[in-house]
Amino acid sequence: MNFPELEGNENLKNSLGELEHSNRMPHAVIISGGSESQRALLAKHLSKWAVCSESERPCGKCKNCLNAESKAHSDIYYAEGSGKTNIYNKDELTKIVNDAYIKPNEADRKVYVFEECDRRLPVISQNAFLKTLEEPPQDVLFIMTCENSRALLETIRSRAVEFTLESDDSVSEEALALAKGIAQGIISPSEMKLLRATYLLNDRQLALDALDAVILLLRDGLAVYVGSQAELDVETADTLCRKLTRAKFLKLIELTQDAQSKIYANVSLKLISVWLCAEYRRNVWQK
Ligand SMILES: [Zn+2]
């Protein structure tokens, strides 16, 4: 297997190698961790592996591989999503599920790719998908990528083979303390508590790290919300979970990422902290 982008991911490379040699294709694969572009590359690699017509798969040279590389293979379908946030809605899932039972055109298998499922595959669509994963059609591979698979239903995860890319998610104590303050501020009825917490984001690198930690805390909360476990801080996750819905968790994660983009764009930290405080509150407290 030639896959230079997986530098350092030794465990993952081993299990991929085993899978490729075993010639047994799972029905569903979850690709988590790493960066979005690494996940996309690995999804493409697995789609080639599924459709390649040579014995040493993926050869990278046959017509199936070349079409897979340029995302132009008639048996590899990238789910499109709809709406402002590119959600894979229930209608699209139903369409895909029905299509999966029709025989492939050129290859021996069909592949369906769902990207960034923690943001784009809502629970209602996951449920629409579940029955198909329980009794999967023959010769079909479903690939789901996500930053954190804990945002997916446990029933989905248990029916898929997961490949986890390595990501650097170590959190300093200082950043975590700031992040916990912000998380408590988010659900506090008093605006002052959140303002004070975001006001402490007065150093660029520390602010980026603390917001990373806020995202991890929110993901933990979301994990608990869907019946999974928190990894970073159980207490904060439970507290957040009592106040927030799945949609609100996702919105808050998005806002936090927007705040990080503003930091990268050199917007003043004071402006960002005021903006973030207002946006957090508007989203948490609106009906
Ligand atoms: Zn090939």
Side-chain angles (χ1 to χ4, degrees):
M1 186 195 57
N2 180 18
F3 205 84
E5 292 81 2
L6 287 183
E7 200 65 56
N9 287 277
E10 291 310 318
N11 290 340
L12 173 62
K13 274 195 257 185
N14 288 340
S15 35
L16 259 183
E18 270 172 38
L19 181 78
E20 289 176 4
H21 283 121
S22 77
N23 237 352
R24 268 204 326 256
M25 191 181 67
H27 296 291
V29 167
I30 294 174
I31 299 169
S32 58
S35 64
E36 188 169 342
S37 60
Q38 280 182 317
R39 294 191 288 276
L41 276 168
L42 185 52
K44 197 190 257 188
H45 178 86
L46 284 172
S47 72
K48 272 188 218 167
W49 170 70
V51 298
C52 176
S53 42
E54 298 299 314
S55 51
E56 280 286 312
R57 296 185 292 144
C59 72
K61 297 186 187 97
C62 71
K63 188 162 157 269
N64 282 321
C65 281
L66 293 176
N67 284 342
E69 175 62 37
S70 55
K71 291 192 172 179
H73 199 293
S74 63
D75 293 315
I76 302 174
Y77 180 82
Y78 284 81
E80 286 167 350
S82 54
K84 253 206 314 219
T85 45
N86 262 333
I87 294 286
Y88 304 130
N89 64 28
K90 197 166 166 255
D91 288 347
E92 184 172 15
L93 257 292
T94 309
K95 208 177 99 197
I96 287 173
V97 162
N98 290 335
D99 186 71
Y101 289 91
I102 301 169
K103 287 206 173 310
N105 297 301
E106 320 170 52
D108 293 335
R109 300 179 179 85
K110 280 174 127 169
V111 182
Y112 297 89
V113 184
F114 300 90
E115 293 183 302
E116 302 310 294
C117 290
D118 32 10
R119 279 191 285 118
R120 298 177 62 190
L121 190 65
V123 171
I124 185 170
S125 305
Q126 293 184 44
N127 278 321
F129 191 27
L130 198 54
K131 200 168 178 321
T132 310
L133 285 188
E134 280 165 357
E135 293 164 38
Q138 275 201 327
D139 303 323
V140 169
L141 173 63
F142 296 105
I143 301 176
M144 292 166 271
T145 75
C146 54
E147 186 161 5
N148 189 333
S149 66
R150 287 181 298 142
L152 296 175
L153 294 174
E154 180 53 36
T155 38
I156 297 268
R157 293 173 64 195
S158 65
R159 286 174 175 82
V161 174
E162 182 165 349
F163 292 113
T164 306
L165 292 151
E166 278 170 27
S167 31
D168 178 19
D169 52 5
S170 53
V171 182
S172 75
E173 273 181 36
E174 193 183 8
L176 182 60
L178 280 176
K180 280 190 192 173
I182 291 173
Q184 281 151 11
I186 283 175
I187 51 170
S188 162
S190 141
E191 183 172 15
M192 272 319 285
K193 197 165 180 183
L194 182 58
L195 257 179
R196 276 200 207 101
T198 54
Y199 196 73
L200 293 173
L201 301 174
N202 52 15
D203 170 88
R204 192 172 181 274
Q205 190 54 52
L206 182 61
L208 285 169
D209 293 347
L211 293 178
D212 267 341
V214 170
I215 291 171
L216 291 174
L217 292 174
L218 290 167
R219 290 228 168 86
D220 262 356
L222 185 56
V224 172
Y225 188 83
V226 299
S228 189
Q229 276 168 358
E231 274 179 10
L232 185 61
D233 187 79
V234 178
E235 203 184 321
T236 308
D238 285 344
T239 315
L240 288 172
C241 202
R242 281 197 288 275
K243 175 71 196 161
L244 301 174
T245 59
R246 183 175 191 276
K248 290 194 174 179
F249 272 119
L250 291 175
K251 187 64 199 172
L252 294 180
I253 290 170
E254 201 183 307
L255 286 171
T256 315
Q257 287 165 337
D258 287 351
Q260 289 179 312
S261 308
K262 287 182 196 288
I263 296 177
Y264 284 119
N266 288 322
V267 177
S268 112
L269 288 173
K270 286 224 163 57
L271 281 181
I272 295 172
S273 66
V274 172
W275 172 83
L276 188 58
C277 177
E279 288 298 310
Y280 276 154
R281 284 191 63 81
R282 200 167 59 77
N283 281 283
V284 171
W285 298 97
Q286 78 184 1
K287 288 283 172 240

